[in-house]
Every structure is written in structure tokens, then in C-alpha cells.
Amino acid sequence: MRSVAIVGAGQTRHARRRKDVTQVALAREAVTSALQDAGLTMDDIDSVVVCSGPVLFAAVNQPEKWLVDAIGARLKPVVRVTSGGGTGLAGALAAVNQIRGGFAERVLVVAYDKLSEGALQYSISTLYDPFWGREFAVGIMGFAAAYWRARMDSLGHTEEAAAMVSVKNHRNALLNPYAHVKKEVSVEDVMNSRPLCWPIKLLDVPPISDGACAVVLSSEDAAKASADPAWIRGIAYYSEAENAANRSMIQSEPLTIAAQRVYKQAGITNPRRQCDVVEVQEPYTCFELSYYEGLGLCPPGGAADLISSGATLIDGDIPVNPSGGCMGANPIGATALIRLAEVAQQVRGRAGNHQIPDARVGLMQAGGGWANLRGVAVVASTKG
Amino acid sequence: MTDGLLTGIDQPQVLETTLSLPYTLTTGRAAGTFLAELGNKRILGSRCDKCARVMTPPQDYCSRCGSASETFVHMPERGTVTAVTRTDRAILALVQLDGSDSGFLHRLAPDSHHAAVGARVRAVWADTPSQSMLDLDCFALDDTGGHAGSAIEVGEVAVVAELAYSLTLHYKHAYGPHYGRLFDELATHRRILGSLCPSCRNVLVPPREFCDACFVRTAQYVDVADTGILQAFSVIHMEFVGQTRKPPYVYAEIVLDGSATRLIHTIAGFDVTTAAERLQIGMPVRAVWKDRADCHGTLDDIDYFEIVTGSERGD
Amino acid sequence: MAVSTLSRVAVVGSAQTMLRASWTELQHVDLIAAAVDAVLRGSGLDMKDVDVVIDCGSDVLDGRSISNCGFLGAMGAHHKEESRVEEDGLFGAVYGTTKIAGGSASVALIVAYSKPSESDVSAYYATLSDPFYQRALGLDHIGAAGLTANQYLTTTDADEEGLLRIAAESWRKVADNPSVDLDRVPSLADIQASPLVADPLRSLQIARPVDGAVAVLLASEQVARRVTDRPVWITGMGAAMDSHFLADRAPGELEACRAAANMAMKRAGITAVSSIGLAEVSGASAAGEAMVIEALGFAPRGHAVDAYSEGATVAINPSGGALPADPIMATGLVRLHEASSRLTGRLGGDVGSRAIVHGAGGLGMQNNCVFIVEV
């Protein structure tokens, strides 16, 4: 199989509302930054994959068709891959396949959302079957909260444990120049914050953001020009029928399947020991706890102990979300690609103030939909 | 295909829904300035200095070279039609304004039925500006014969930075064979139907043609109970645009007895402000149906699920 | 760019539902599952053999966000790799092909569907447009088709009679296509008498939205050799997107289609289109189809109609093409299904051993995808 590397990554200045740019100009900003980081121009790009959240977020159907001119991709292959919140990773996977399959040597993936423009919970609620349950939908926050409540009983994912995730990610975001939420919070602050969908409280929830991220992926040949490629050592994205019989709602099967597949590709047998840095897409704090278990960073039921132990702090033995994760900025359609870009920059030694010293192997997770679309990737500073 | 299962005689064929979504769009520099100037009855273009091209309406980026367009210019109000079509809605045309290097998509006046490519046209302004492209009402045929000069560079002008926008989309969702039957039974017999997978022997609610996990055609309809287990719940306090009920209420995922799938509903019939303490995962629950007169064959025919207390579980 | 070590990829099966103006008695999941079930039946493969599912559909048409999320079971994607390519189904086939060619899957299931009867097709297309400049004018697929047809006629030697003939050919051929449901087949006179909806185009010259689903099974050479004696090899693929604004595109031609075709033919090592016996293309209108035929190189600019003459070397849209039946997100994948079925002789007739397949998306066919397939 052909090797594929990330040779450039860029993000926009994320904000609650970017009043200075259109949706397409926001995406362009990330593209410019990623190309600059890669030392390339659009002329070097063979193909473009665009990712954004569900189109109802932003009033423009198939927005890649508007975006094409702003990123100078006219007459190139341009396609949009969508997969809810995990779309950025699904797009990166599509790009990896284009390169492995000989369709392109260098692919630009650009992912963005300008969530300030639409009615977020309303549009997410249309995920639900119009005949069957849509009227009860609260985006997916009601759903996420419900199964967190269930995991409290079966796995001990307490409100305090989730609050520690919020504290950690908020603190890490202070180090991240791209994050727009910059405030220190305490466990008490989180516990006392207003319930939105109990047990989810205000400070368990990331901000609503405008932002974009772009990544340049390259074949091994084309990556020779790059001084510090981040090699994709494994990548997978799995799905699960949302109302299949006896769907496991406590431990995510698609996440487990994706993680096992990626670990096999990357030769990882002990992720906690072998990975230097982890970035996960935590739309709510409770999800980060369940990802610890799904990714095998701790045994099932061990997440509360893992966060309490401090191991996932930025100076812990398995730092998770040194960037601050979604807590610092959460432009949903871009978020998964941001996680991938963050681990790539970590293993390239370009992560800035939140750089994990000597990070060589990075693990990332992302997902979307009804917690039924789950992806994982491992990147490393060596090809393996 | 599955016509044998079709029963929905008393059912509407389709469920009509409307999504009515509000937006606040950021216009960006080019469109924002263009719309502001249109309100002042001036047409704005942009010039790509690299390509020496004038684009109308203005663009933030040159579609040819991708550079940011730095300079705005005021365009003449006259131009030439380069393409035209008459539709039920409007006469659409591409108009090349004098001094512009690009076409400008707009409408021609309703009376310009015979306008053809090459026709000269002039701008007609709307009486009341509405911060939209239609502040320029249309282009009308221009028989004055004059050329209207060239593009003039623009100094600082105001910008319409944000635009309120709403998108309304109407749907007619088909019931299909299984939902037709499901809701028919729900309304007339207060019966909840599932379908049985012959391979894994699980009962799937709502009923469906194929088992998701086995990809095997389901064999038959099976009645499931209107009682079940509370698999997960949360207490909704948040309000949001498009919400259909008033917080606080309970979001519940229930597994009905005899089925293996999730049913989304609400738990009520008790003081909801105590829900966090009162409700427990795994609790038995039971459907509380609306009066028959109020049942219309929707999930809403079940008013809510109530907690089945210990003493009631004597069976 | 072709890398010799890549696995060859073949179409090893394809199936579609009947394409109908309206399938009110079935839901999306029923249409999708019917196509998926049909493609597996007799293919020598079952759902366990499928490594990846790629699907093409539209949230806006479906009235549901991340609509693939609700249809995963019907697509057989449960606990498999799955991605939604929100574009014409032929772009989904690009994804599946690269996945197999690169060695990370052996069997890919590509699913595309649309049920435009449930929504407002004009609104679907209008929302594709930028919200500031084009959308406020009421631009939709009809207006875009009319403008591009007008440009085609005014910038080339083509005439309205030629566009009528192209439409008549489509409707004549669809009469022999058992997968398209029609009350009656319109004659040339009917086309001429149909309402002028966006001059120069009449309603029967604009692609008719229909409901339907299509499924295609792609496989690596190893699997293809095992399950079929008539694999249809994918030897070239190309794609290109044009500018968003209609006014920004070259008038009277489809530059993006030409770029996509050049890419596909280069990869397939084709230097002369005379070696291609079959073309299945997705025109948004009679003029759109003409511009595709020219962009693919079957006729000089403005002379597409000549490629439909007796004695032409290529059979164009023996299925009838997209004018009589356009299941919006599925149209290009239906073309791949038709072309592969004909190359293997499943549908009878001799169309040679090599076909070109085209799919498009967007207002005025902004995005284009081209496949070369061979037996």
C-alpha cells in the first residue's frame, strides 16, 4: 500500500462569530495557511476534498460549489464528503484513498463550518426520523446526555469525572492560539453551571464556533520535498445502523472496530504506552470519558480513574487534547480535521505552546451522527 | 416489491413537514459593499489588478487567478445582453455592463419578451430598497443608444455586514408499507408493531423491510407491548429555535418489551423537576395513550410514558 | 499519474429500482434496500464480503440532516466503513474505485438514490446557489439550463432543431428501457408542443426528476476473476469542477467536462474516441447533453447532433439517458450501471468493448465526472 503523509496543515482564527468573512472566505483562510505551511501553491494540488457539517447549518446546499472559486480550485476534481461531526476525518480518509488509489499525488482537504449563521440545535434535530422521534430531539445533546446518565450507572462516568475533562481542556485551550474560549474553570464551576440537558451542563459543552481547517496530504514521492511529513500510519471510519437490534449504547462498537483496525495497521498493541499524544473530538465532556475506553487507553469503566489520575493532562503520560479539544473552539464540520491537524503538528514538532515534547506518535478520534459514525487515525513522524 | 403489505387506506400517503430555518449570513467585503451600494442605486464591480479584469457583481477573489480583489469600482448602468432565457419566474439574462469583463446574472423587465443576445439594456431600480440583489429591480431594454462611460474607482463606502435570511423547505415524506401499517395499527388499535428478523430473531420497532444488522428481509409483523424499560434519559432544560415542547421535560430512550430497538419518547405523569432523582435507568415504563378521538396515527398518540411503580408490577 | 502497482478494479454487479416520477408507496430505505438486495443477488458476493459502502444522496432532497445516518441499515453499512459523497453517484464510484485500487478494500458497494417527489426540486437547486447574488434572482435548474442552452445556440452553429432531435432521440430510446416508468413515450411533435419553460428549451428537453435508487458492486481483480467471467474494468476516471457563477464559465461549452474527460482518457491511455463504442451521459438538458458529447470529443463544438446520426461510431445513451429519467443524485451511477450492463451483453446489442460514462452535479452542470470502462 502506498504511504501517505500530511505535509501541511492550517487553521483559521476561530471565533464565536467571524463577522469579517463569508463562509467561503473562512475556508480560504485555512487553505492559504495550510498551503503556506506545506510550502506549496494550489498549482501543486491535484484534487480537493471539502468537508462541512450538514448543509442546513449554513443555508447553502453543496457549498463546495460556491467554495471552488475562493480556493482557486477551478477545473480540478472537487468533491464533498459528509459524515456529520466526523466529516473532516471522513474527508481525510477519502483523500488518503485518492492518493493510495493513484487518483492524485497531493490532495487538499478543507473542512469548515460557520455555525454562527444558522440555528444549530434545530438543524441537528432534523437528523431524527420525521415520523419517529424528531419532535423529542434536542440536537443530539438530549441523546448524548441520556446515555451519559446510563454510563454513570454502568461505568461510573460521574459528573465530577466529566467536569475534570472540562477543566483540563479549558486549561489547555489557554495555550492554543487558535482557541477562542480562553478561561480557566474549576470542577465546582462545571458542577454548578446551568443544566442544559441534565446531566449535561453549560460547561460540559464546547462553544459554537466559526472556523476552518485545511490539510495537505501527499504521496510518498511527493512528500520527499517535505522536511517533516507526518505519516498516516492508520486511518479508518466505521458506521453503525442507528436503531439496529441490541445496539450497544454504552460502549461504541464502531469506535472499537475502527480503533482495532487502525492499531493493527499502525502496529500498536498498547496505545497508552505507544502513543505520545491524543486528540479526541469531544462534543460533550462525557464523550471524552467514553473515548478513553473505546480507544483502549484504559479498561472499560476505567475512564473516571484515568482522568482523576492526571494521566491525560498535558504533562501526563498520555496527554489528551493538549490543544483544548473542542472546548477551545468547535466549528463542527472542521473539528475532526482540526484534531487530525493537531496530532500531525505535534509529531512534526510544530504544535507551538501546547507541543508535547518529543511527540512521535499521535492518535486521534472523531465521529458524528448519532454517535454511530466513528473514526480513528494514527500519525507518526516516521513512515514505519 | 412489497405491495402485499400496503394497507394505509385510512392513512394519508405522505407526512407533510416544513423546515423553516432562520439564518444570519455574513456577506463579506464584496457582497456587503455591493448590497450597500445597490441600496444607493449604484452598481459595484471589483477589479483584479493581476488579471486586469473587472467583475460585476464584485468578488472577494478573482475566479481566474484566485487573488484577493483589492479595488472596487462603480459600474455604468448600461450594458449588453450576452445570454437570455424566459422562465415562469422571470426573464433571466447575463448582462455585460459597459466596462465589465464578466457577465452579470440578473432579470430583464417583464415586458422585454423579445430581448435577444446583443440587446442594449439599462438598470431599473426598485422603489424601496430591501438590502438584496433585487434593489436593482431589473434591466430594461435601452433604446437611447448611448454608452454610459466606464468603471470608476470607489472610495470608502458602507457595508451591509450581515443579512437575515430564512430558508423554508417543504416535504411530503412517504409512509411506505411499514410505517403505513404501523401508524394505522397505532391509531385504530393502540397496537405497536415491530418486524421480526428471521435470522437474529430480534423484533425491530419501527418495523422495517430489512434487519439492519443481518441485512435479511424481515419475515412478519409482531405486536410488541406498550410497556418497556427506560434505557436512558436526560432532563431537557434548554430552549432552542424549532423546539416542539416547553422545557423542562424528559428525553427518554425506551426499549419496549418484546423488542430490541430504541423508542424515543418522553416520561411524564410526575413532577418533572424531580426527574433527575426520581428516574432510574432500567425502570419499567408504560405508554399513556391519548383519547381515541385525539389519535391520528402518529407517535404522538402516546401522550407520554409513565413510571410503573413497584406495587403495580404484581403480574 | 497512473501507478502500475495498483490493483485493477472492476464493476462486478449493478442494479437499480424502477425509475418513476413518484414512488409514493415506498420510503427511501425501501428503494435503497431494494437496489442493494438486487445487486447482491446472483453476484456471488454477499453483504459480509462488502468492505466499504459509499453512498450519494442529498440532505436537502431528503429533508433530513446527515440522512445517510438514518439509512445505514438499508445500505447494509452496519459496522462497515461508510462515507457519504454528497454529489452525483458517479463521484461515489470514484471513491470506491480508489479505495480498492489502493489496496484497502476488496469489495465496495456504491449506492445512490433520490426521491425528488418528496421535496421541491426547484428549491433543491436554488439552494445550491450563493445566497447573495444568484439565489435572490430565482435561479434554479430550469433557468440555468435555459441560459446555458441560449449560450450554446448563440456561440456555436447549433440550432434549435438539433436540440429537438437530441431530445427526441432520448425519448425514443427510453421506450426500450424497461427500468424507466412512462405512461407514454412522447414523439418529436409532443416535444415540440411541450411548454417553453426556459427558452430555447421546452419541458421535454429538460431532465425529468424521478425517484429511484441504484447500487453498483466494485471489486479488486482477484475478487472479480472469482465471481464473474465478465468483469467490467475501470480503466480511467477524471473529475473537474467549474466556477460557481454561471457568468464566469465559458459560454456554450463544458470546460469542466472536457477536463474530466481528458483526465480519464489519459489514464485509460485513449488517444482517439473512435475506440469508444458506447457513451452513457447525464445531460441536464438537451443542450447540456450536446455540450457533454462535444466535451467528450465525439463531435466538434456546435455539432453534437451529428454524433447521433446513422453510422456514427458511438452509441449515445441507448438507455435514453438523463432527459427522460434523472434520479438527481443517482443519475451518473445509473449511467455506469447501464454501460456495464451493456458491455457485458446483459442488455443485448453490440456496443463494443469500451464505454465512456459521465455524471454531473450542480447548477448548469458545474461538476463533472467521467469514467472509462472496458471488457
Side-chain angles (χ1 to χ4, degrees):
Chain A
M1 205 178 285
R2 303 178 88 198
S3 295
V4 178
I6 292 172
V7 297
Q11 297 181 46
T12 57
R13 178 172 63 77
H14 310 308
R16 175 65 189 87
R17 182 163 178 80
R18 283 288 303 269
K19 292 186 181 180
D20 55 330
V21 284
T22 58
Q23 296 169 32
V24 298
L26 184 69
R28 175 186 162 104
E29 204 175 294
V31 168
T32 306
S33 162
L35 288 171
Q36 208 162 41
D37 186 54
L40 299 171
T41 71
M42 269 313 280
D43 293 342
D44 301 308
I45 301 297
D46 300 319
S47 175
V48 178
V49 177
V50 179
C51 308
S52 64
V55 293
L56 294 179
F57 281 7
V60 184
N61 189 10
Q62 300 173 17
E64 73 283 3
K65 298 199 166 75
W66 184 25
L67 184 63
V68 59
D69 297 302
I71 62 172
R74 182 175 171 269
L75 299 184
K76 292 185 193 292
V78 179
V79 76
R80 184 159 142 276
V81 174
T82 66
S83 195
T87 183
L89 179 58
L93 177 57
V96 166
N97 285 313
Q98 287 190 2
I99 294 167
R100 284 181 183 159
F103 186 75
E105 295 298 305
R106 286 198 195 92
V107 183
L108 171 75
V109 184
V110 54
Y112 73 97
D113 250 326
K114 202 157 186 308
L115 298 179
S116 69
E117 305 212 342
L120 184 64
Q121 297 303 339
Y122 184 7
S123 39
I124 300 182
S125 297
T126 63
L127 172 66
Y128 283 65
D129 186 338
F131 290 92
W132 197 253
R134 185 179 287 181
E135 62 192 291
F136 300 107
V138 184
I140 64 149
M141 202 194 292
F143 164 88
Y147 283 101
W148 176 20
R149 174 63 193 81
R151 283 193 296 270
M152 284 181 186
D153 288 0
S154 50
L155 297 171
H157 292 185
T158 60
E159 289 187 76
E160 290 80 0
M164 284 183 238
V165 171
S166 178
V167 171
K168 167 180 72 74
N169 291 353
H170 273 103
R171 188 174 297 153
N172 292 349
L174 294 171
L175 302 170
N176 180 353
Y178 297 112
H180 67 92
V181 173
K182 302 253 189 191
K183 65 174 174 195
E184 187 114 24
V185 301
S186 67
V187 168
E188 293 69 40
D189 293 336
V190 182
M191 295 295 287
N192 294 328
S193 64
R194 184 161 52 88
L196 300 179
C197 295
W198 184 88
I200 291 179
K201 299 168 292 295
L202 184 65
L203 290 173
D204 289 307
V205 182
I208 293 171
S209 313
D210 290 354
C213 177
V215 163
V216 180
L217 290 120
S218 167
S219 68
E220 186 171 356
D221 271 356
K224 281 179 183 149
S226 170
D228 54 359
W231 297 95
I232 305 273
R233 297 281 289 272
I235 183 167
Y237 200 89
Y238 276 79
S239 85
E240 178 169 75
E242 50 87 14
N243 202 7
N246 301 321
R247 182 178 161 202
S248 165
M249 303 304 296
I250 299 297
Q251 293 288 357
S252 166
E253 286 190 73
L255 175 58
T256 311
I257 298 168
Q260 292 313 317
R261 172 112 190 231
V262 165
Y263 291 159
K264 198 175 162 202
Q265 290 166 2
I268 287 177
T269 50
N270 183 339
R272 175 152 179 195
R273 213 184 57 230
Q274 289 171 273
C275 297
D276 302 312
V277 57
V278 184
E279 285 276 338
V280 299
Q281 181 185 359
E282 86 299 8
Y284 306 105
T285 49
C286 57
F287 275 120
E288 184 168 318
L289 297 175
S290 58
Y291 299 153
Y292 290 173
E293 298 173 10
L295 291 170
L297 303 180
C298 65
D305 286 344
L306 186 66
I307 182 81
S308 307
S309 74
T312 58
L313 296 176
I314 196 162
D315 55 358
D317 70 84
I318 183 78
V320 178
N321 284 340
S323 68
C326 299
M327 240 4 132
N330 191 29
I332 296 176
T335 299
L337 195 65
I338 293 172
R339 304 279 76 76
L340 182 65
E342 283 288 347
V343 288
Q345 299 303 64
Q346 287 281 357
V347 302
R348 298 170 80 203
R350 295 187 183 215
N353 288 339
H354 56 285
Q355 176 70 46
I356 304 300
D358 301 321
R360 305 215 184 286
V361 178
L363 167 67
M364 64 78 62
Q365 173 279 348
W370 231 316
N372 59 335
L373 308 171
R374 288 285 178 263
V376 176
V378 168
V379 301
S381 55
T382 56
K383 199 166 56 147
Chain B
M1 281 187 194
T2 47
D3 297 57
L5 295 172
L6 277 175
T7 57
I9 299 152
D10 300 327
Q11 292 296 325
Q13 286 278 314
V14 296
L15 172 73
E16 295 198 21
T17 64
T18 296
L19 299 178
S20 197
L21 298 140
Y23 296 95
T24 308
L25 304 175
T26 309
T27 52
R29 183 171 172 264
T33 314
F34 172 81
L35 291 173
E37 282 297 275
L38 219 53
N40 299 325
K41 302 191 176 179
R42 285 192 292 262
I43 302 172
L44 200 72
S46 61
R47 187 168 64 217
C48 171
D49 294 326
K50 203 170 153 194
C51 300
R53 242 175 116 240
V54 173
M55 294 163 280
T56 322
Q59 299 292 344
D60 286 317
Y61 313 106
C62 174
S63 62
R64 286 294 170 272
C65 73
S67 316
S69 309
E70 297 297 335
T71 317
F72 288 143
V73 288
H74 277 140
M75 301 305 298
E77 292 186 16
R78 289 184 166 80
T80 305
V81 172
T82 60
V84 62
T85 189
R86 293 151 193 81
T87 72
D88 290 347
R89 298 170 167 209
I91 304 176
L92 290 172
L94 300 181
V95 173
Q96 182 132 9
L97 292 179
D98 297 340
S100 179
D101 297 298
S102 74
F104 180 7
L105 178 73
H106 218 288
R107 296 173 167 184
L108 296 189
D111 62 1
S112 34
H113 287 294
H114 300 293
V117 169
R120 294 286 299 164
V121 290
R122 64 179 165 78
V124 176
W125 297 96
D127 294 335
T128 18
S130 60
Q131 290 195 330
S132 104
M133 179 55 109
L134 293 174
D135 287 353
L136 172 60
D137 188 54
C138 61
F139 284 92
L141 290 173
D142 177 39
D143 42 21
T144 60
H147 258 257
S150 54
I152 301 160
E153 227 166 275
V154 176
E156 281 300 304
V157 286
V159 174
V160 176
E162 292 181 347
L163 269 190
Y165 177 75
S166 75
L167 186 58
T168 302
L169 298 165
H170 301 287
Y171 296 95
K172 295 187 170 99
H173 300 288
Y175 276 83
H178 303 301
Y179 279 24
R181 177 74 183 269
L182 167 74
F183 289 116
D184 199 19
E185 295 286 338
L186 209 62
T188 51
H189 305 296
R190 291 188 169 175
R191 213 151 76 190
I192 304 169
L193 283 189
S195 54
L196 174 71
C197 171
S199 175
C200 66
R201 306 298 298 173
N202 283 306
V203 174
L204 313 166
V205 180
R208 63 205 72 171
E209 186 72 17
F210 280 81
C211 172
D212 310 84
C214 308
F215 201 75
V216 166
R217 224 175 258 277
T218 55
Q220 66 193 85
Y221 290 128
V222 178
D223 282 348
V224 300
D226 65 356
T227 56
I229 293 296
L230 182 60
Q231 173 164 271
F233 75 94
S234 58
V235 189
I236 309 305
H237 298 276
M238 183 172 69
E239 297 190 22
F240 63 97
V241 174
Q243 200 165 21
T244 55
R245 50 190 69 213
K246 187 96 185 122
Y249 58 94
V250 174
Y251 173 97
E253 297 225 352
I254 294 158
V255 179
L256 293 177
D257 295 332
S259 80
T261 47
R262 304 148 49 223
L263 172 80
I264 296 151
H265 218 287
T266 190
I267 312 287
F270 70 106
D271 178 3
V272 173
T273 60
T274 66
E277 301 78 41
R278 181 79 196 282
L279 298 180
Q280 295 300 323
I281 304 298
M283 249 182 178
V285 294
R286 173 173 58 209
V288 175
W289 296 82
K290 284 186 176 159
D291 289 341
R292 282 188 190 275
D294 297 327
C295 288
H296 305 290
T298 74
L299 191 52
D300 214 28
D301 292 354
I302 297 172
D303 203 10
Y304 57 85
F305 280 79
E306 65 179 359
I307 304 163
V308 179
T309 58
S311 58
E312 291 175 84
R313 298 196 72 210
D315 58 339
Chain C
M1 220 170 279
V3 178
S4 56
T5 55
L6 298 177
S7 167
R8 291 176 84 196
V9 182
V11 176
V12 297
S14 60
Q16 64 167 83
T17 63
M18 181 76 92
L19 303 178
R20 281 173 45 173
S22 162
W23 267 114
T24 40
E25 61 272 52
L26 295 181
Q27 293 199 315
H28 291 93
V29 284
D30 300 319
L31 282 172
I32 290 167
V36 171
D37 186 44
V39 79
L40 288 171
R41 227 181 295 133
S43 69
L45 295 167
D46 69 24
M47 198 51 95
K48 284 191 283 297
D49 298 311
V50 173
D51 299 312
V52 59
V53 178
I54 305 296
D55 50 272
C56 300
S58 158
D59 285 4
V60 173
L61 281 176
D62 298 345
R64 193 164 174 174
S65 279
I66 328 176
S67 62
N68 51 314
C69 212
F71 304 157
L72 293 165
M75 300 189 294
H78 183 65
H79 290 172
K80 293 188 191 301
E81 278 209 300
E82 180 270 352
S83 278
R84 158 69 55 98
V85 173
E86 199 164 316
E87 184 55 281
D88 175 82
L90 200 56
F91 290 85
V94 172
Y95 192 136
T97 305
T98 60
K99 180 106 186 160
I100 297 169
S104 36
S106 297
V107 178
L109 171 65
I110 318 300
V111 181
Y113 68 90
S114 283
K115 215 157 173 285
S117 69
E118 294 199 358
S119 66
D120 175 350
V121 175
S122 175
Y124 162 79
Y125 280 106
T127 55
L128 291 177
S129 207
D130 81 286
F132 307 122
Y133 291 163
Q134 297 187 130
R135 199 185 300 183
L137 300 167
L139 181 69
D140 66 0
H141 59 307
I142 307 280
L147 278 171
T148 50
N150 175 270
Q151 289 176 310
Y152 178 62
L153 293 185
T154 53
T155 60
T156 70
D157 296 335
D159 57 21
E160 290 191 31
E161 203 186 310
L163 295 185
L164 282 170
R165 200 165 141 228
I166 288 171
E169 282 289 305
S170 294
W171 287 100
R172 183 177 67 76
K173 287 170 183 161
V174 79
D176 296 328
N177 184 342
S179 300
V180 175
D181 183 52
L182 287 173
D183 291 338
R184 59 183 278 272
V185 177
S187 65
L188 179 64
D190 293 330
I191 299 167
Q192 274 174 311
S194 67
L196 198 60
V197 289
D199 69 329
L201 298 173
R202 297 181 178 277
S203 64
L204 290 173
Q205 291 177 295
I206 293 181
R208 178 181 72 126
V210 292
D211 291 356
V214 56
V216 170
L217 275 172
L218 304 177
S220 65
E221 177 159 15
Q222 199 184 7
V223 171
R225 297 272 184 220
R226 179 162 58 81
V227 299
T228 176
D229 51 7
R230 302 287 337 245
V232 178
W233 302 107
I234 294 165
T235 56
M237 298 188 298
M241 186 182 279
D242 208 335
S243 283
H244 179 65
F245 294 95
L246 286 182
D248 251 352
R249 303 184 203 161
E253 60 177 317
L254 288 172
E255 272 189 288
C257 181
R258 195 172 63 228
N262 288 346
M263 198 183 298
M265 289 198 234
K266 191 172 161 198
R267 285 187 179 143
I270 295 175
T271 47
V273 291
S274 55
S275 67
I276 297 172
L278 169 65
E280 278 284 343
V281 304
S282 310
S285 72
E289 184 172 313
M291 289 188 279
V292 172
I293 291 304
E294 292 164 18
L296 299 182
F298 290 113
R301 212 171 147 214
H303 294 273
V305 70
D306 297 343
Y308 295 78
S309 308
E310 289 288 326
T313 57
V314 63
I316 299 170
N317 284 346
S319 66
L323 298 190
D326 178 18
I328 302 174
M329 305 300 284
T331 308
L333 199 62
V334 168
R335 306 272 77 72
L336 182 61
H337 158 61
E338 287 283 351
S340 340
S341 303
R342 277 174 210 278
L343 285 177
T344 57
R346 263 192 284 159
L347 293 176
D350 180 13
V351 290
S353 61
R354 181 181 274 168
I356 193 164
V357 179
H358 163 263
L363 278 170
M365 306 174 68
Q366 186 188 350
N367 205 6
N368 288 262
C369 185
V370 173
F371 268 58
I372 305 288
V373 285
E374 307 185 41
V375 287

